Amino acid sequence: YFYSRSILAAFLGRLVGARILLTGGADQISPLLLSGVRLFIHRVMAFICLIISNRILLSCTDDVINFRKICLSIHSLNNKIEFVNHVVSPTPLVRLIRTPVRGEFHAFTLCWMGSVANVRRKGVDKAVGLIAKLRALGVDARLDVAGTDGPGKKFLQELTRVLDVSDHVVFLGAISEEEKNARFARDSVYLQLSEHEGFGVAAAEAFYSGMIVVHSNKGGLSDVIGEHGLIVDPSNFELKGNEYVQNFYEKYLLFKNKLEFRENTLNKYSIKMRSHAFLGDLVVRK
């Protein structure tokens, strides 16, 4: 899992004749996130993994494009790359889709906060900034953030103090699957303003559970949700200021979930589809 940490295990597996499948996000070979020597090193590591592995399973169009670039037009390596979606397990759609209420914006997000870099990549700092800007416009904006404690949480707590929204951004800590599913079934807005997202499992589960997903449309978010969620460009918070945030909020109030789309596409993210990709020509039994 995650090619950058799998070279040794894959090599040892290859020595004993094991079938080697690698999966995980490929953001470390994206020129959007890395450059120079670091990007070169990670691309070399990914190339070695391509040679060692039988197949690499990718869940994001951007990741497929970046892996194709390091194949050097070698047909045998290109054939090892396969696009396959992660599994999405939504909560049952047992509620009516609520229409946004004017004057309110209550959001929820999940993020591993073990590092500041991951918090930034996931755009949680941008989400906090959005809450501050909405409150400046008179909106009762709140954000609940779930995830383990770490340097990323301390960074966000300091940011909430600087932006004066400490009372309106709540850190829930690590939550169970049951608590997460209860949130998906009860809350209205999931906020995912990632700089890059390999797939976005939590955002996808929130979306297919009936929440309005406000997202950056980066990486896997564009594959899974796209225009069926509410797209926002965090860079415009500063470039265009209050006017952009006000326009976003008006769009949010008018936004309608596309229930039919969700029901028609959910089967693409099933365990059966994932199993076929892992087992290849082997028989997949129900």
Side-chain angles (χ1 to χ4, degrees):
Y1 189 74
F2 284 105
Y3 68 90
S4 60
R5 301 182 182 181
S6 303
I7 291 179
L8 179 59
F11 179 72
L12 293 174
R14 196 69 164 175
L15 286 179
V16 298
R19 185 164 177 258
I20 308 301
L21 301 177
L22 297 179
T23 186
D27 46 289
Q28 292 170 325
I29 61 172
S30 170
L32 296 175
L33 297 180
L34 291 180
S35 60
V37 175
R38 290 184 66 201
L39 178 61
F40 175 76
I41 291 172
H42 280 285
R43 285 189 166 183
V44 169
M45 293 168 66
F47 182 75
I48 294 172
C49 280
L50 264 173
I51 294 174
I52 295 175
S53 67
N54 295 97
R55 189 181 302 171
I56 289 185
L57 308 178
L58 302 170
S59 301
C60 165
T61 301
D62 285 356
D63 288 349
V64 173
I65 292 171
N66 286 324
F67 254 101
R68 297 277 184 217
K69 289 178 181 177
I70 64 173
C71 286
L72 305 178
S73 299
I74 300 173
H75 187 68
S76 60
L77 296 184
N78 270 289
N79 286 343
K80 293 183 178 184
I81 298 172
E82 182 169 349
F83 181 93
V84 55
N85 295 297
H86 283 305
V87 177
V88 173
S89 302
T91 57
L93 289 171
V94 296
R95 59 173 183 168
L96 294 174
I97 303 303
R98 292 196 292 270
T99 301
V101 178
R102 178 168 287 279
E104 291 184 359
F105 184 85
H106 300 165
F108 170 63
T109 195
L110 280 157
C111 179
W112 179 74
M113 293 182 283
S115 72
V116 175
N118 192 63
V119 164
R120 288 184 179 276
R121 183 179 69 82
K122 290 285 188 177
V124 187
D125 55 332
K126 304 294 192 305
V128 172
L130 176 60
I131 296 301
K133 290 181 181 299
L134 286 171
R135 295 198 67 82
L137 294 175
V139 178
D140 177 18
R142 302 202 304 263
L143 173 65
D144 291 345
V145 183
T148 53
D149 293 346
K153 179 181 176 180
K154 293 179 181 178
F155 164 73
L156 290 173
Q157 287 175 322
E158 178 59 27
L159 181 61
T160 63
R161 284 192 286 270
V162 171
L163 297 178
D164 195 26
V165 290
S166 296
D167 293 337
H168 312 291
V169 177
V170 178
F171 296 95
L172 304 173
I175 62 174
S176 65
E177 281 292 303
E178 291 75 19
E179 291 176 283
K180 182 194 73 173
N181 290 335
R183 284 275 180 170
F184 288 165
R186 181 183 70 244
D187 294 356
S188 298
V189 185
Y190 191 86
L191 198 49
Q192 189 82 58
L193 303 184
S194 304
E195 293 180 355
H196 176 82
E197 195 65 59
F199 182 80
V201 173
E205 288 181 337
F207 174 72
Y208 282 102
S209 296
M211 298 181 77
I212 294 174
V213 177
V214 177
H215 68 105
S216 60
N217 208 36
K218 300 291 181 66
L221 296 172
S222 63
D223 295 323
V224 183
I225 302 169
E227 64 180 10
H228 301 286
L230 185 54
I231 298 171
V232 60
D233 184 350
S235 65
N236 284 329
F237 293 166
E238 299 301 331
L239 290 175
K240 299 183 179 179
N242 288 345
E243 181 181 359
Y244 180 82
V245 176
Q246 181 67 55
N247 288 338
F248 153 74
Y249 185 65
E250 294 301 326
K251 289 179 182 178
Y252 161 72
L253 292 173
L254 297 172
F255 190 80
K256 301 292 183 183
N257 278 351
K258 297 176 177 63
L259 186 61
E260 182 179 353
F261 170 82
R262 289 201 307 269
E263 291 178 338
N264 291 341
T265 59
L266 185 55
N267 66 328
K268 292 198 303 183
Y269 311 105
S270 69
I271 187 66
K272 186 175 181 180
M273 297 286 283
R274 186 74 170 170
S275 298
H276 274 292
F278 267 96
L279 298 178
D281 297 331
L282 298 178
V283 176
V284 180
R285 299 187 180 278
K286 187 174 180 181

